[in-house]
Amino acid sequence: MSTASTQTPESRYGRSSDEQADRTLKVVGAVLGAVLLAVIGWFGYHYVAQNEISGELIGFELAEDSVQVHLEVRKDAGAVGYCTVRSQAEDGDEVGRADFRFDGDSTRIDRVVTLRTKAAGTTAELLGCHTS
């Protein structure tokens, strides 16, 4: 006894709707993936290319009512900006935050700044640098 096939001949009736739907989903997925990569690339380029000032926290020294923070700032010549630094206590409460301004024609600035705190801080964190 032979088993009857439930599949129709493709040459006579064309593709099934499931195959067409799969192909459509693949095309839509590829297009959406390409758009997502383009958007991520665009944001990444503008973040790197448009950022005229950046900083790095080199180290810090703690005192009872202040924190000495060693910052290294890189910026475009003539760009004016500021870097925000904060300090936290041992329990995580913020005890100090300040913006430090960097201007002039130097493209690399190495400076120690003093962050006043309302209690003894245990950390120093560079939150970011921005142009004015």
Side-chain angles (χ1 to χ4, degrees):
M1 183 169 227
S2 68
T3 306
S5 173
T6 58
Q7 219 175 14
T8 58
E10 188 175 319
S11 60
R12 185 170 184 181
Y13 297 105
R15 288 196 206 175
S16 72
S17 63
D18 287 343
E19 291 174 352
Q20 289 174 348
D22 287 348
R23 185 166 192 266
T24 302
L25 284 174
K26 287 178 184 176
V27 169
V28 168
V31 168
L32 288 176
V35 168
L36 178 65
L37 284 175
V39 168
I40 290 172
W42 185 79
F43 278 114
Y45 170 77
H46 282 281
Y47 177 76
V48 171
Q50 302 299 323
N51 195 4
E52 298 175 353
I53 185 168
S54 65
E56 182 180 353
L57 190 142
I58 304 300
F60 61 92
E61 290 184 28
L62 303 172
E64 192 63 32
D65 61 346
S66 65
V67 179
Q68 297 286 324
V69 182
H70 182 185
L71 294 175
E72 182 178 297
V73 177
R74 289 188 175 84
K75 64 180 191 67
D76 293 345
V80 176
Y82 63 94
C83 293
T84 305
V85 179
R86 80 170 176 177
S87 180
Q88 293 177 306
E90 192 171 335
D91 61 0
D93 287 341
E94 185 174 278
V95 294
R97 177 188 292 240
D99 294 331
F100 296 98
R101 188 173 174 85
F102 297 94
D103 52 11
D105 291 331
S106 296
T107 58
R108 183 180 172 277
I109 300 169
D110 198 356
R111 187 185 304 167
V112 176
V113 295
T114 301
L115 174 64
R116 299 281 178 205
T117 58
K118 62 183 178 182
T122 59
T123 65
E125 179 181 9
L126 176 62
L127 297 178
C129 296
H130 308 281
T131 56
S132 300

